[in-house]
Amino acid sequence: MDSERQGQHHLECQACRVIPKGPVQWYCKEHKIDLCDNCKSSHASKPCEVVTYKEKFQERLMENPVMSKEVKCPLSFLRDIGIAGKDQFWLLSSRSDTIKLIDSNGKEIKSVKASAQPMRLAVSHDQKSVFFTVPSENLVMKMDAKSGKITRLFSTGDFEPIGIGSCRSGDLLVCLYNSKDIFGKVVKYSQSGQPIMEIERDGSKRSIYTKPHYVIENKNGGICVSDYSKREVILVAANGEFQFSYDGNKARKVVENFTPEGIATDSRGNYLVADHWNNTVHIIKENGAFVSYLLFGKIEGPTGITVDDEDKLWVCEFGTDDGTVKVISYLQ
């Protein structure tokens, strides 16, 4: 893998406590601190073991990730995806009002027509329900995965619901956007539509989001969001407290016009972020540190992504007319 595309980026060198011009790429195992290039040089005279930032996490990433499967689907301009079980997934398109269940050979198993164009979907953790948003009607809907029956859950008032995520508790995370006032927020709802928590501003009363697009809950209850307008990935803690924002690893100057779309997490706590403009997927740690790119330039306009129980990444391609989902193995 191209070493330039494996460079690390961290917010601050923990030795000199400044944000360096270059990336923070080193880690002192004895002092357990992250180091910039300058501080790494000064550490060389000490009896310390300094390793690369990647070695710190012991990722065991494949040197050459493998595209293990390409699934041609009966939909094009794919927008979102959710695992439905072994070798099956739910899929929606920006050009269709149907949600389809597809197997890993591209065969359509089920097709359910919604009342209007769905924008995003989320599969419940028990895989018995599929939740989706309908921005044109400001509605959040629920579909029974077995019967295909659709029920209305709740309205989002004056806000357009865009992204949706399913929590382990059964609650829902919804990305909301107000096009009139041009601002967004993320709200955790019960399935009855009762707001449980609204995430809108940080501790300094500044807006966290502008146009949040995709949202997931991590294993610790943290909430990770891709913001289309800010071109950032933003993490807040389970209580809504701002943790970090990731700007696409600008320090390395490898990508331009970072365009984050779908987000997923794997069993090791990594975040995977689809970068639509740059035709790749970023891997970042739970503290916002960049780890690597996957198959740089070999994915056509990735949008929705998800990770299955075997840590394989499933990626929707928006940039192909034949509706392709690519399955990628990237962990050893």
Side-chain angles (χ1 to χ4, degrees):
M1 188 182 292
D2 187 340
S3 61
E4 185 69 11
R5 292 175 180 170
Q6 289 182 307
Q8 316 305 323
H9 175 63
H10 197 263
L11 297 179
E12 181 182 77
C13 173
Q14 293 174 305
C16 60
R17 294 294 178 182
V18 298
I19 300 175
K21 293 181 179 180
V24 171
Q25 300 188 86
W26 310 101
Y27 177 70
C28 174
K29 296 178 72 172
E30 182 174 340
H31 294 94
K32 295 182 171 57
I33 57 173
D34 304 322
L35 301 169
C36 63
D37 284 337
N38 289 336
C39 292
K40 185 253 185 179
S41 298
S42 65
H43 253 66
S45 61
K46 300 178 182 180
C48 302
E49 183 179 359
V50 177
V51 298
T52 65
Y53 204 65
K54 186 176 179 181
E55 288 179 86
K56 168 187 174 181
F57 290 112
Q58 297 179 332
E59 285 302 328
R60 293 188 293 128
L61 292 174
M62 289 182 178
E63 184 175 352
N64 295 298
V66 176
M67 195 178 301
S68 55
K69 200 172 188 66
E70 292 189 40
V71 185
K72 305 298 182 181
C73 303
L75 285 170
S76 58
F77 299 99
L78 305 181
R79 179 55 71 185
D80 211 354
I81 185 171
I83 296 296
K86 185 171 178 59
D87 296 327
Q88 294 184 358
F89 54 92
W90 292 101
L91 197 65
L92 61 79
S93 160
S94 64
R95 303 292 177 90
S96 173
D97 58 2
T98 60
I99 300 173
K100 294 184 182 291
L101 179 63
I102 312 293
D103 70 14
S104 60
N105 294 313
K107 180 182 177 181
E108 181 180 309
I109 300 170
K110 184 178 294 183
S111 180
V112 181
K113 185 179 176 64
S115 61
Q117 172 71 59
M119 177 64 80
R120 303 281 188 271
L121 65 77
V123 179
S124 63
H125 286 267
D126 61 10
Q127 299 180 341
K128 293 181 179 180
S129 302
V130 179
F131 306 98
F132 61 94
T133 57
V134 183
S136 63
E137 299 178 348
N138 289 5
L139 292 176
V140 174
M141 312 293 282
K142 178 180 180 179
M143 181 181 74
D144 182 272
K146 185 176 182 179
S147 68
K149 180 181 178 180
I150 294 176
T151 56
R152 167 179 164 163
L153 289 183
F154 54 87
S155 169
T156 53
D158 295 331
F159 286 81
E160 298 174 27
I162 304 178
I164 187 166
S166 177
C167 302
R168 289 171 179 79
S169 63
D171 298 325
L172 299 173
L173 296 167
V174 184
C175 297
L176 300 178
Y177 178 64
N178 185 307
S179 57
K180 180 181 178 181
D181 297 322
I182 313 178
F183 80 98
K185 60 183 177 180
V186 174
V187 178
K188 178 183 282 190
Y189 291 97
S190 67
Q191 290 190 33
S192 65
Q194 182 68 34
I196 298 170
M197 178 173 63
E198 291 195 13
I199 307 165
E200 185 177 347
R201 299 185 182 278
D202 62 18
S204 300
K205 306 301 182 183
R206 294 171 297 193
S207 295
I208 297 177
Y209 312 108
T210 301
K211 194 173 185 179
H213 255 214
Y214 289 83
V215 59
I216 58 169
E217 179 190 57
N218 68 19
K219 61 183 179 181
N220 300 317
I223 299 165
C224 194
V225 170
S226 61
D227 192 299
Y228 180 83
S229 294
K230 284 193 169 185
R231 296 180 182 266
E232 292 179 348
V233 174
I234 300 163
L235 179 75
V236 300
N239 63 0
E241 182 180 346
F242 176 82
Q243 299 294 292
F244 73 78
S245 62
Y246 170 74
D247 64 5
N249 194 31
K250 287 180 181 178
R252 299 298 293 177
K253 297 181 180 180
V254 174
V255 301
E256 296 180 355
N257 299 319
F258 176 52
T259 310
E261 295 262 354
I263 314 171
T265 58
D266 61 24
S267 64
R268 300 182 189 176
N270 299 308
Y271 293 107
L272 297 101
V273 183
D275 185 346
H276 181 76
W277 179 267
N278 293 288
N279 297 325
T280 191
V281 174
H282 300 229
I283 304 178
I284 61 176
K285 294 303 300 181
E286 56 192 10
N287 64 351
F290 171 76
V291 176
S292 187
Y293 299 109
L294 289 180
L295 298 177
F296 200 99
K298 297 181 180 179
I299 308 169
E300 295 293 326
T303 49
I305 63 176
T306 190
V307 172
D308 64 20
D309 290 339
E310 297 177 351
D311 276 331
K312 290 182 180 178
L313 177 67
W314 298 64
V315 183
C316 289
E317 286 192 332
F318 190 84
T320 50
D321 293 335
D322 56 2
T324 301
V325 171
K326 290 181 175 176
V327 185
I328 302 169
S329 299
Y330 62 97
L331 295 177
Q332 293 182 7

